[in-house]
Amino acid sequence: SGGEKKLVSIATILSMTPDIILMDEPSVALDPQNRRNLIRVLNEFDHLKIIASHDLDFIWDTCNRVILMADGQIVADGPVEEILRNQELLEKNGLELPLSLRRR
């Protein structure tokens, strides 16, 4: 499937041991199993990951720092838990709390 090919491509890039990996919406079009596999693979990658995504649950599971941008400007920069738990900040910038937090 397309998701499996995407995961293989990402794994291939990571096997080249780059110092930095940049990703734009990496979880788009992945089924739940491949999404979990991608999270596992990225969490095993020890170098710098820069991930642009609206999938805040994915960000919660893979990142330790968030830089929130709106209209090309940085509006917040800090630990994942601090930024992604701030409902007012997220909503002010067109986002919602991650689904995993809304269930708690």
Side-chain angles (χ1 to χ4, degrees), residues 36-71:
R36 283 189 305 274
N37 287 338
L38 177 58
I39 289 168
R40 180 185 48 75
V41 167
L42 288 176
N43 286 339
E44 291 172 358
F45 181 70
D46 291 328
H47 300 293
L48 179 64
K49 300 176 290 262
I50 300 174
I51 302 171
S53 181
H54 292 89
D55 182 347
L56 299 186
D57 286 283
F58 183 84
I59 296 301
W60 183 274
D61 290 339
T62 57
C63 299
N64 55 28
R65 177 180 172 198
V66 170
I67 298 174
L68 179 61
M69 298 185 71
D71 299 320

